[in-house]
Amino acid sequence: MLSLMRYELKKMLARRVALVANVGVLVFLVGIMVLNVVQTKTTDASGAILSGTVAIAQNREEALEHAGTITAERAAADIAAYQERVFAHIDRDAVLEMTSSAVYDLMFQNFSDEEVYELYNPYWSNLLKPWRVAGEELAQTAARVTPEMAADWYGAVANLTQQELDDGQAGMWEYSDAERAYWTEKQASVEEPFTYGYADGWANIISCSGFLLFAMLATCVTLAPMFSFEYQSGADAVVLATRRGRSQLVVAKMVVALAYVTVYVAICAGIIAGFSLVFYGADGFDLSVQALGLSSPYPLTAGQAALVSLAVMYAAGLGFACLTLALSARTRSTLAVFLTDVVLLLLTGLVPSAGVGVLERVLALFPLNFSNFNMLFSALESYPIGSFVLDLIGMLVAVYAVLAIIAMPVAVLSFRRHQVA
């Protein structure tokens, strides 16, 4: 069996197209992650544009300035301090009657560039998010927050979930009672108080996990000829006639294919995680995921969220690998197998949902659509099955597990029963 596995692995990876695809994607990922670091940009207090590692260091300094546990008392006190500082120079009631652009100009008229820079620190945006209205300036949000509202900061955070449920994804989806109960319970399970700080390394892993789509394409290129090439070349007449052709050989093919996918995706994920953690830092693994997105109802840390994002991409990669093997065992055309994979992996990301909730939930199951923080951890994507509810993460694991469980036997049985012409 081991000799068969070594032979199949060598044959699979020795094909020129497979070699180019596998090595090319690894080189591409390294290049993308280098650009990811180099093209990171921000500004400092003087307004100068910073790039690369200098920008990363600046972002770290900004986050660490307000790092720590956000108790209800701290949230209320910090909001009060922010209001006192802002409204000592501008009229609190006046900003509510102004446009956001006018308020922005007003800030620069009444504060130095360094002061404005501090007043726009992401921490304040995070702290005031429970009451933020789209398009308004922080000063306008702060003007509407009363001491009583600030004192119930965690209540206001919890209410973000209820607002999302009421909004129904801009009217696209009407949440059932079971779904509302599911998301309310999940949000209630989030441990309080939150911890705030720097976790850009883990956030970058989540943001870049979508690049594993190219790893999936490389595995599809590699696996597409696994069975169909035997049919095209006429080798099936010899292979299936041997003593182990319909038994051990097909098992060796499947084991090698799944092992290859696991190792290759792990290497690609390692490139993404390695660059992210080396250049952005591994700080903040234990920070609440709410430090990355306050409205997230998940009881996870930033590090756990990053691992989950990589895990679901691996599940999708494994599912598509098994589908590729099944298609390869059913057809002589390697090109048809690969084109099917391309359509499912890439073109599904271009299909608009047109405001149809059911279609949007189907499209959300494809890698190009779910590989971002918002879809996985904030969008409240749920799939009700009667009174039972699965969130997007659970549905992804279920769908790709079922796909693998169905596709693997199809591949094995199709090859074993293949009738040689």
Side-chain angles (χ1 to χ4, degrees), residues 217-238:
L217 288 172
T219 59
C220 290
V221 169
T222 305
L223 299 180
M226 180 69 81
F227 296 107
S228 61
F229 182 76
E230 308 284 16
Y231 307 154
Q232 290 177 6
S233 65
D236 56 339
V238 177

Side-chain angles (χ1 to χ4, degrees), residues 71-282:
T71 62
E73 293 75 18
R74 174 188 167 179
D78 283 359
I79 290 172
Y82 184 86
Q83 292 171 324
E84 182 179 358
R85 185 175 178 185
V86 171
F87 301 125
H89 297 275
I90 62 177
D91 186 86
R92 182 169 185 163
D93 295 325
V95 297
L96 295 175
E97 305 298 326
M98 301 169 65
T99 64
S100 57
S101 59
V103 173
Y104 183 76
D105 292 338
L106 188 65
M107 293 292 289
F108 279 95
Q109 293 169 13
N110 290 274
F111 296 93
S112 67
D113 289 350
E114 290 76 11
E115 289 174 318
V116 171
Y117 183 79
E118 162 53 24
L119 291 172
Y120 278 90
N121 187 296
Y123 172 71
W124 300 117
S125 180
N126 196 63
L127 202 61
L128 292 168
K129 182 178 174 62
W131 306 282
R132 193 87 181 269
V133 175
E136 75 175 1
E137 286 292 307
L138 284 176
Q140 293 173 300
T141 305
R144 293 188 289 102
V145 178
T146 65
E148 292 75 22
M149 294 164 64
D152 188 32
W153 190 73
Y154 278 101
V157 171
N159 193 50
L160 288 173
T161 299
Q162 299 306 312
Q163 291 174 8
E164 291 291 330
L165 294 172
D166 292 339
D167 181 63
Q169 296 181 321
M172 182 172 61
W173 183 260
E174 184 176 349
Y175 290 97
S176 66
D177 292 339
E179 288 176 284
R180 295 183 72 96
Y182 174 85
W183 288 115
T184 300
E185 182 179 349
K186 184 171 286 292
Q187 198 288 323
S189 69
V190 175
E191 185 176 347
E192 299 175 4
F194 301 159
T195 48
Y196 182 84
Y198 179 81
D200 281 13
W202 304 104
N204 198 64
I205 291 174
I206 298 172
S207 298
C208 295
S209 63
F211 290 126
L212 289 178
L213 183 72
F214 295 100
M216 295 182 200
L217 288 172
T219 59
C220 290
V221 169
T222 305
L223 299 180
M226 180 69 81
F227 296 107
S228 61
F229 182 76
E230 308 284 16
Y231 307 154
Q232 290 177 6
S233 65
D236 56 339
V238 177
V239 170
L240 292 172
T242 62
R243 181 169 60 90
R244 296 184 293 180
R246 295 182 186 272
S247 56
Q248 292 186 26
L249 178 61
V250 68
V251 173
K253 284 178 176 289
M254 296 299 292
V255 171
V256 165
L258 297 182
Y260 151 74
V261 172
T262 298
V263 172
Y264 188 73
V265 173
I267 292 172
C268 292
I271 292 173
I272 292 171
F275 270 87
S276 297
L277 299 180
V278 168
F279 288 96
Y280 290 86

Side-chain angles (χ1 to χ4, degrees), residues 7 12 26-27 69 81 98 109 145 210 222 270 283 287 312 314-315 327 357 359 365 370 400 419:
Y7 172 72
M12 181 176 69
L26 293 177
V27 173
T69 301
M98 301 169 65
Q109 293 169 13
V145 178
T222 305
D283 318 44
L287 291 183
V312 293
Y314 167 68
L327 293 173
L359 176 58
L365 298 174
F370 71 71
Y400 286 109
Q419 298 300 311

Side-chain angles (χ1 to χ4, degrees), residues 20-56:
V20 170
N22 284 276
V23 175
V25 166
L26 293 177
V27 173
F28 172 78
L29 280 179
V30 170
I32 284 292
M33 295 309 296
V34 169
L35 290 175
N36 176 257
V37 173
V38 172
Q39 294 181 347
T40 298
K41 293 186 182 298
T42 190
T43 58
D44 61 15
S46 66
I49 298 176
L50 307 178
S51 302
T53 55
V54 177
I56 293 171

Side-chain angles (χ1 to χ4, degrees), residues 294-350:
L294 189 64
S295 61
S296 174
Y298 282 88
L300 297 170
T301 67
Q304 290 169 343
L307 295 178
V308 167
S309 68
L310 295 178
V312 293
M313 290 298 287
Y314 167 68
L318 205 59
F320 271 97
C322 292
L323 176 63
T324 301
L325 292 171
L327 293 173
S328 179
R330 298 292 298 177
T331 179
R332 296 171 59 89
S333 174
T334 299
L335 179 60
V337 176
F338 180 64
L339 287 178
T340 301
D341 288 326
V342 169
V343 168
L344 294 175
L345 283 169
L346 296 181
L347 296 188
T348 49
L350 304 177

